[in-house]
Amino acid sequence: MPPSIECTPVTGSCPAQTFHARDLTITRSMALKPFTDPRTMTGSTTDHMLKVTWSNSTGWGVPEIVPYAPLALDPTATVLHYANECFEGMKAYRNKRTGKIQVFRPDLNAKRLNMSADRIALPSFDNDEFVALLCAFVAVEERWLAWSGNSTILEYDENDFLYLRPMMIGTTPRLGLAKPNDAMFLIIATKFSSWHTRPLRLLASSPEESVRAWPGGFGFAKVGANYGPTLQYQTRAVSLGYDQVLWLFDVEKRYVTEAGGANFFVVWRTEDGGVELVTAPLETGTVLDGVTRRSVIELVRERLPEVSVTERQFTVGEIVAAVDSRRIIEAFACGTAYFIAPVAEIGISGRDVTIPLKVEGKSGEYARTIRRWLEEIMYGEIDHAWGVAVN
Amino acid sequence: MPPSIECTPVTGSCPAQTFHARDLTITRSMALKPFTDPRTMTGSTTDHMLKVTWSNSTGWGVPEIVPYAPLALDPTATVLHYANECFEGMKAYRNKRTGKIQVFRPDLNAKRLNMSADRIALPSFDNDEFVALLCAFVAVEERWLAWSGNSTILEYDENDFLYLRPMMIGTTPRLGLAKPNDAMFLIIATKFSSWHTRPLRLLASSPEESVRAWPGGFGFAKVGANYGPTLQYQTRAVSLGYDQVLWLFDVEKRYVTEAGGANFFVVWRTEDGGVELVTAPLETGTVLDGVTRRSVIELVRERLPEVSVTERQFTVGEIVAAVDSRRIIEAFACGTAYFIAPVAEIGISGRDVTIPLKVEGKSGEYARTIRRWLEEIMYGEIDHAWGVAVN
């Protein structure tokens, strides 16, 4: 990480290149929010938020955990005009054996948020300090994953989790379009109860009409600019009875990229009889380097050597061909929010193509297996380096 | 404009499909900001802001002009995560003959903001009501274009203007990605003194590295998502001594699209000896339908019949060929912020190509003429339908 502006270390006037967890101050809320049944608490934010401000001249300030509250932003703040915003999606879980709270591969989110921030000219920070602040914040919000005995919830579900949203926004009050001189890093959290959605119905997009991302663009970065512009097409897909858009790229080739805001995998039998797990590659810059995506690839490569795991450009035509020749095995979307979400059907050029769901009509077998592997790690049923205790 | 949700007109429970200027309330600031020399007031906001909120269930609320103040936004507000934001750039001028304040073609900005809002799933409104609210707001801020005698400014420049920023943001406090259920429409203003920048040095982008917009994307809409992601490349261009990026599209063809956040025109002598004014077409969906762009095209078609005005895809290679064969006449960027900005040089694949500036080394002759035509209309030196008095 190069310094963002010239500085003179000798005089001590260097802007701070990162925030430091050792500087963290905590002001606890005097009015904790009442719990309600987490299964109905879709999106209730927790009691606190973590906040650090940055300016181009002084660098990162002191991180503070304060009671959750609205942000006061000048109407000219760059984030409201020029989409200087990036974020991460993560989850915190109660380890089912130790009772400690843990997060999943936070180092990968730290790296990706730095990469996203760079793509939209927001400042960088140290990855380890990010992880340390995240853990400190989750520890403060521990009561939201109440352990039996301490809980004021009538029915505590051991599969509850906190959805964590680290985010960075440009806050300079200036309409002139330029790299922001001021920014804010925040971590907020919402409480959810684990849910199993019904298998997804996807609508393959028409690349003539709408394209999510482009080489040389920013589809690989978790920036706000990738999301708002998808809602027009997404709204249309929902009105047609689908859950999410399967985003295609290239009017002629019709490459499969992402499903909604999630990565997308297909399992099929290849022409030569092998089993292939395929997903779009990162090199085109049009799909997100998902933490769940990467974990799926690594686990399957490690534990299912008979499956060939391939990151390559593949087309919606290949899916249709695999369905028609009965080589299709299953398909699923994956991401932090959707976890491992089996796909039941894909609308392709007016035809609804059925994807097998061999496990009780709810999931494919690979999706079910991979989901269990990940749950075991996330909820600490087994010891694994990817599960990182917060305290 | 179709209703955004089902409603029953009979019961009177329809959400309001537009805001209405007749409902406007005005709360004047009791602490007006001190004037300083407008030539140094780059970006000082005025005393008030216009605000209307929208919700999916009740539609548009009552517009109000209130003292300028920070917005209180929940940290989960969709605009901070998913770039649900669009805006317009406009200017208000003091008519040099009548002393009245006027705006320039506000109907076009109204239409475009509606189009932009639709592209990112924000609500629509009535164009005429937009213009009426805009005029009411500018009238309240009249003192910022103080007429001689009323001014507390030592030196009032008759070329001062107010930069107006109508904007819309999604405000629903919800991390789940979906069409916002709540939005806010605002108009704010900043005071500027007319400035003449030095002729621009542009750096032609490398489409292998960075692409501003693509077919099926949203380059045609004035949405935040088009701006933040350009800053990384723009910052690099400035560090190399250029003012703005000349955005190219297509790795092989290298079509010229926009210059920074402005439209781009070239004037050259064609192979057959005619004079052509050329700019990128709107059909590809990758350039903004600029109000200044459209005005330039219409004025030149009307007043300079000997010039062939062409909206078509053209390449940076054509520019190099025109320079090398001395057919190049001039080039300029245009937009509300940059007005008509002559181009002096374009960095193309490591070579700085020089563009003629026949008028005192500061502008081409067409750019100078077009600029004067527009100034005459904007500052009311002549009567013209494009100049709309605000009261």
Side-chain angles (χ1 to χ4, degrees):
Chain A
M1 285 179 285
S4 55
I5 64 166
E6 293 295 326
C7 67
T8 53
V10 176
T11 64
S13 64
C14 273
Q17 296 301 306
T18 186
F19 38 68
H20 292 280
R22 64 167 183 261
D23 300 334
L24 178 66
T25 66
I26 300 176
T27 306
R28 287 189 183 265
S29 170
M30 302 300 282
L32 298 182
K33 299 180 183 180
F35 283 135
T36 56
D37 186 333
R39 288 165 302 186
T40 63
M41 280 169 61
T42 47
S44 166
T45 47
T46 57
D47 297 304
H48 302 88
M49 60 189 185
L50 185 145
K51 194 161 80 168
V52 200
T53 58
W54 173 89
S55 82
N56 193 43
S57 53
T58 59
W60 286 104
V62 170
E64 46 179 7
I65 291 175
V66 293
Y68 188 88
L71 305 176
L73 291 175
D74 195 275
T76 58
T78 58
V79 64
L80 304 178
H81 301 263
Y82 307 126
N84 306 103
E85 57 197 70
C86 55
F87 64 93
E88 283 297 317
M90 308 173 68
K91 288 178 179 169
Y93 315 82
R94 180 74 71 173
N95 184 308
K96 291 185 181 177
R97 290 177 304 139
T98 65
K100 286 176 178 280
I101 295 178
Q102 59 183 44
V103 289
F104 184 75
R105 308 190 83 177
D107 54 317
L108 297 182
N109 296 94
K111 277 184 207 160
R112 192 171 61 186
L113 188 61
N114 256 319
M115 178 276 291
S116 298
D118 180 62
R119 184 62 186 83
I120 49 171
L122 286 174
S124 62
F125 53 82
D126 181 82
N127 293 330
D128 293 339
E129 298 293 342
F130 169 95
V131 173
L133 282 186
L134 183 92
C135 288
F137 174 74
V138 174
V140 165
E141 297 297 38
E142 182 164 10
R143 78 179 188 104
W144 290 86
L145 291 176
W147 191 235
S148 57
N150 297 325
S151 171
T152 59
I153 308 172
L154 290 177
E155 273 187 279
Y156 171 72
D157 184 336
E158 65 176 1
N159 295 314
D160 287 356
F161 59 85
L162 282 183
Y163 179 83
L164 306 172
R165 174 59 59 97
M167 57 192 277
M168 205 193 301
I169 57 177
T171 55
T172 301
R174 181 194 59 205
L175 293 184
L177 179 65
K179 188 172 171 168
N181 290 327
D182 309 87
M184 191 185 287
F185 168 75
L186 291 151
I187 304 176
I188 57 175
T190 56
K191 173 68 179 289
F192 285 103
S193 193
S194 183
W195 74 88
H196 290 256
T197 54
R198 67 188 164 104
L200 297 174
R201 298 189 71 227
L202 303 178
L203 175 64
S205 67
S206 157
E208 291 85 353
E209 292 179 72
S210 197
V211 175
R212 193 194 82 93
W214 196 273
F218 38 88
F220 58 89
K222 210 159 179 70
V223 296
N226 279 321
Y227 294 87
T230 67
L231 293 174
Q232 187 189 48
Y233 209 87
Q234 166 69 15
T235 302
R236 200 206 305 180
V238 169
S239 75
L240 294 172
Y242 298 91
D243 300 303
Q244 292 288 339
V245 178
L246 182 64
W247 290 101
L248 305 188
F249 178 77
D250 195 311
V251 170
E252 284 163 29
K253 302 279 181 49
R254 307 181 98 73
Y255 293 120
V256 174
T257 62
E258 290 196 4
N263 292 114
F264 178 76
F265 283 81
V266 181
V267 189
W268 50 34
R269 204 162 282 285
T270 56
E271 306 275 5
D272 63 9
V275 174
E276 184 183 46
L277 174 72
V278 65
T279 194
L282 303 179
E283 299 83 64
T284 61
T286 57
V287 303
L288 192 73
D289 183 3
V291 176
T292 314
R293 173 189 183 278
R294 194 190 286 205
S295 302
V296 167
I297 290 172
E298 291 173 7
L299 286 177
V300 173
R301 283 196 174 136
E302 179 191 311
R303 301 184 184 182
L304 296 175
E306 69 276 20
V307 174
S308 155
V309 181
T310 316
E311 297 171 75
R312 67 168 172 90
Q313 289 196 299
F314 68 103
T315 70
V316 79
E318 289 182 69
I319 295 178
V320 172
V323 168
D324 287 346
S325 62
R326 304 193 177 206
R327 290 184 291 101
I328 191 83
I329 297 173
E330 60 183 272
F332 57 90
C334 75
T336 297
Y338 266 76
F339 197 20
I340 304 290
V343 171
E345 222 166 25
I346 309 175
I348 302 172
S349 307
R351 172 184 167 195
D352 284 330
V353 166
T354 301
I355 309 295
L357 296 163
K358 293 208 171 164
V359 183
E360 303 165 9
K362 292 180 184 168
S363 174
E365 288 172 352
Y366 288 103
R368 176 60 55 98
T369 300
I370 294 165
R371 186 183 172 105
R372 273 303 300 150
W373 287 344
L374 287 167
E375 281 174 343
E376 282 171 357
I377 298 170
M378 290 167 171
Y379 288 95
E381 295 169 46
I382 61 164
D383 269 326
H384 197 285
W386 293 351
V388 176
V390 304
N391 54 6
Chain B
M1 282 179 285
S4 55
I5 65 167
E6 293 296 324
C7 67
T8 54
V10 176
T11 62
S13 65
C14 273
Q17 295 300 305
T18 186
F19 39 68
H20 293 281
R22 64 168 184 262
D23 300 333
L24 179 66
T25 66
I26 300 176
T27 306
R28 287 189 183 265
S29 171
M30 301 302 281
L32 298 182
K33 298 182 184 179
F35 282 137
T36 54
D37 186 331
R39 289 164 303 185
T40 62
M41 279 168 61
T42 46
S44 166
T45 48
T46 59
D47 297 304
H48 302 88
M49 59 189 187
L50 185 145
K51 196 162 79 169
V52 201
T53 57
W54 173 89
S55 81
N56 193 44
S57 54
T58 59
W60 286 104
V62 170
E64 48 180 6
I65 290 174
V66 293
Y68 188 89
L71 305 176
L73 292 175
D74 195 274
T76 58
T78 58
V79 64
L80 304 179
H81 300 264
Y82 307 126
N84 306 105
E85 58 196 71
C86 55
F87 65 93
E88 283 297 317
M90 308 174 67
K91 288 177 180 170
Y93 316 83
R94 179 75 71 173
N95 184 307
K96 291 186 181 176
R97 291 176 305 139
T98 65
K100 285 176 178 279
I101 295 177
Q102 60 182 43
V103 289
F104 184 75
R105 310 189 80 176
D107 54 317
L108 297 183
N109 296 95
K111 278 183 208 161
R112 192 172 61 187
L113 187 61
N114 256 318
M115 177 276 290
S116 299
D118 180 62
R119 184 62 186 82
I120 49 171
L122 286 174
S124 62
F125 53 81
D126 182 82
N127 293 330
D128 293 339
E129 298 293 344
F130 169 95
V131 173
L133 281 186
L134 183 91
C135 288
F137 174 73
V138 174
V140 166
E141 297 297 37
E142 182 165 8
R143 78 179 189 102
W144 290 86
L145 291 175
W147 193 235
S148 55
N150 297 326
S151 171
T152 58
I153 307 173
L154 290 177
E155 272 185 276
Y156 171 71
D157 183 337
E158 65 176 2
N159 295 313
D160 286 356
F161 60 84
L162 282 183
Y163 179 84
L164 305 172
R165 173 58 61 98
M167 57 192 277
M168 204 193 299
I169 58 177
T171 55
T172 300
R174 180 193 60 205
L175 292 184
L177 180 65
K179 187 172 171 166
N181 290 327
D182 309 270
M184 190 184 289
F185 168 75
L186 292 151
I187 304 177
I188 57 176
T190 55
K191 174 67 179 292
F192 285 105
S193 192
S194 182
W195 73 88
H196 291 257
T197 53
R198 67 188 163 102
L200 297 175
R201 299 188 71 225
L202 302 178
L203 175 65
S205 67
S206 158
E208 291 85 353
E209 291 177 73
S210 195
V211 173
R212 192 195 83 93
W214 52 86
F218 38 88
F220 59 88
K222 211 159 177 70
V223 297
N226 280 319
Y227 294 86
T230 67
L231 293 174
Q232 187 190 47
Y233 209 86
Q234 166 68 16
T235 302
R236 199 207 306 182
V238 169
S239 75
L240 294 172
Y242 298 91
D243 300 303
Q244 292 287 339
V245 177
L246 182 64
W247 290 101
L248 306 188
F249 181 75
D250 196 310
V251 170
E252 283 162 29
K253 302 280 180 49
R254 308 182 96 73
Y255 293 121
V256 175
T257 63
E258 291 196 5
N263 292 116
F264 179 75
F265 284 82
V266 181
V267 189
W268 50 35
R269 203 162 281 285
T270 56
E271 305 275 4
D272 62 8
V275 174
E276 184 183 46
L277 174 72
V278 64
T279 195
L282 302 179
E283 298 84 64
T284 61
T286 57
V287 303
L288 193 73
D289 183 2
V291 176
T292 314
R293 173 189 184 279
R294 194 190 288 206
S295 303
V296 166
I297 290 171
E298 290 173 9
L299 286 177
V300 172
R301 282 195 176 137
E302 180 192 311
R303 300 184 184 183
L304 296 175
E306 70 276 17
V307 174
S308 158
V309 181
T310 315
E311 297 170 74
R312 66 169 172 89
Q313 288 195 299
F314 68 103
T315 68
V316 79
E318 289 182 69
I319 295 179
V320 172
V323 168
D324 287 345
S325 61
R326 303 194 177 205
R327 291 184 291 100
I328 191 82
I329 297 174
E330 61 183 272
F332 57 89
C334 75
T336 297
Y338 266 78
F339 198 21
I340 305 290
V343 171
E345 221 166 24
I346 309 176
I348 302 172
S349 307
R351 171 183 167 195
D352 284 330
V353 165
T354 301
I355 308 295
L357 296 163
K358 293 208 172 164
V359 184
E360 302 166 9
K362 291 180 182 167
S363 174
E365 288 173 351
Y366 288 102
R368 176 59 55 97
T369 300
I370 294 165
R371 185 183 173 105
R372 273 302 299 149
W373 287 343
L374 287 168
E375 280 175 344
E376 281 172 358
I377 299 170
M378 290 167 171
Y379 287 96
E381 294 169 46
I382 62 165
D383 270 327
H384 197 286
W386 293 352
V388 177
V390 303
N391 54 5

